[in-house]
Amino acid sequence: MEFGQQIVSRVQEIQDTELKESGVRLLMKRDDLIHEHISGNKWRKLKYNLREAVEQNHHTLLTFGGAYSNHIAATAFTAHKAGLSSIGVIRGEDDASNPTLKFSREHGMHLYFVSREDYRRKNEDKFIDDLEEQFGQFFLVPEGGANGLGVRGCAEILPEIEEAFDVVCCAAGTGTTLAGLALTLKENQTLLGFPALKGGEFLLDEIDRLMVESRLRPPSTVNHLLITDYHFGGYAKLKPELLEFINGFQERTGIPLDPVYTGKMMFGMYDMIRNGTFENETTILAIHTGGLQGWQGMKHRGLV
Ligand SMILES: *Cc1c(COP(=O)(O)O)cnc(C)c1O
């Protein structure tokens, strides 16, 4: 993997017997195939953060996340490959058997555990100053890679695509990926974001903030909206009907989905297709943002 070079993931038409009578054509952008370890949008979001860190002569990346965070694993791996040190500020307590933490440690990340209370202070200057005092200088990547540089990386997804499409569907955590997609949407296209967390409505403001921070030209019309009905209770849950959908989709199409983000997004999209939300002959582009390492976390917690 070279961060300097462009990796263009492919677009695949999904042949699914379940969609035969639906009148909808489904394409999928396979960002899950970009890299074995840094799956999908985590690679996109880290690309310009890493570049900026190197340009500013930093030797260490510091970031934040939960103990099963895809972003923590991706940052550890990225820093390691680039020859930088990394520090992960982790919410909660250490657990040597946690696969995400284990992977991150194996890739040289120093893990620093903080209470949930302290973790909530992660955007306060005082908290960051204390971290600098403890660890020395670092380049700070926000939780989930949620900054303007992260958005810039995600603004490269849609311009790679040659096929025509009407609707884009994408899962959301911090909204950074959605912000990048929204900035590159054509006027006659609609973007549907599926928050993986309950109460995801707050993301609309966050998307606005992130778009501004990217300093990319804002779109002339707002064509993005959130579909908040498919969070399935949040990050650390795995409902049987969701698992059944994910397994069925993989059996029919051969494509694995993750349990935290893309599984919910695809479940919701299929539900909307069944309910007749989309006009006949609509072409939907689903973004497969990756996240397959999330299965290890589910297994570790005994949820699957
Ligand atoms: C982190 C992640 C997301 C969320 O992306 P945001 O840019 O934070 O909204 C979506 N899908 C997968 C697979 C992820 O790992």
Side-chain angles (χ1 to χ4, degrees), residues 41-42 45 70 144 154 171-178 258 261-262 289-291:
N41 67 344
K42 299 302 180 283
K45 293 194 280 188
N70 292 337
C154 296
T174 63
T176 311
T177 309
L178 289 182
D258 85 287
Y261 297 102
T262 56
T289 39

Side-chain angles (χ1 to χ4, degrees), residues 165-187:
F165 52 87
D166 308 297
V167 175
V168 183
C169 290
C170 184
T174 63
T176 311
T177 309
L178 289 182
L181 296 172
L183 283 166
T184 47
L185 216 53
K186 298 205 176 87
E187 240 166 78

Side-chain angles (χ1 to χ4, degrees), residues 28-251:
M28 186 176 263
K29 175 77 164 155
R30 296 294 306 274
D31 265 18
D32 56 314
L33 300 177
I34 284 181
H35 193 275
E36 183 187 356
H37 294 302
I38 312 176
S39 61
N41 67 344
K42 299 302 180 283
W43 183 86
R44 303 265 185 192
K45 293 194 280 188
L46 284 168
K47 178 178 172 185
Y48 289 107
N49 275 292
L50 181 69
R51 195 172 287 183
E52 184 68 20
V54 170
E55 266 169 27
Q56 291 183 16
N57 283 317
H58 279 284
H59 303 290
T60 305
L61 298 182
L62 179 141
T63 195
F64 305 91
Y68 296 99
S69 159
N70 292 337
H71 169 71
I72 286 291
T75 305
F77 189 87
T78 303
H80 186 67
K81 279 279 154 192
L84 301 182
S85 309
S86 67
I87 299 164
V89 180
I90 311 293
R91 182 183 58 227
E93 273 152 38
D94 195 3
D95 172 358
S97 68
N98 174 319
T100 309
L101 299 180
K102 208 163 151 233
F103 175 89
S104 303
R105 275 200 174 104
E106 280 165 9
H107 291 84
M109 183 175 257
H110 176 75
L111 301 178
Y112 179 64
F113 295 87
V114 299
S115 67
R116 283 167 187 274
E117 225 166 41
D118 280 348
Y119 191 84
R120 259 181 251 120
R121 297 176 47 225
K122 66 183 177 301
N123 297 324
E124 292 175 16
D125 290 343
K126 169 84 172 77
F127 189 65
I128 305 300
D129 287 348
D130 287 350
L131 288 172
E132 272 196 339
E133 197 148 299
Q134 189 162 349
F135 296 115
Q137 284 209 332
F138 50 75
F139 183 85
L140 191 150
V141 180
E143 181 186 49
N147 61 9
L149 294 167
V151 173
R152 280 181 168 262
C154 296
E156 293 180 347
I157 299 172
L158 295 183
E160 290 174 1
I161 299 172
E162 286 164 10
E163 291 84 349
F165 52 87
D166 308 297
V167 175
V168 183
C169 290
C170 184
T174 63
T176 311
T177 309
L178 289 182
L181 296 172
L183 283 166
T184 47
L185 216 53
K186 298 205 176 87
E187 240 166 78
N188 57 350
Q189 296 171 334
T190 307
L191 170 63
L192 305 179
F194 293 77
L197 275 181
K198 217 181 328 201
E201 293 81 5
F202 78 95
L203 283 178
L204 280 182
D205 287 342
E206 199 45 22
I207 291 166
D208 283 346
R209 183 188 73 77
L210 286 160
M211 286 200 290
V212 171
E213 197 182 307
S214 77
R215 309 213 311 268
L216 294 170
R217 197 153 69 88
S220 49
T221 52
V222 175
N223 290 343
H224 60 272
L225 59 140
L226 298 174
I227 309 294
T228 54
D229 307 329
Y230 301 102
H231 55 73
F232 288 92
Y235 282 141
K237 302 264 166 65
L238 187 55
K239 298 267 163 74
E241 55 181 322
L242 177 60
L243 185 59
E244 195 183 317
F245 171 81
I246 291 172
N247 288 336
F249 183 80
Q250 179 159 9
E251 272 163 31

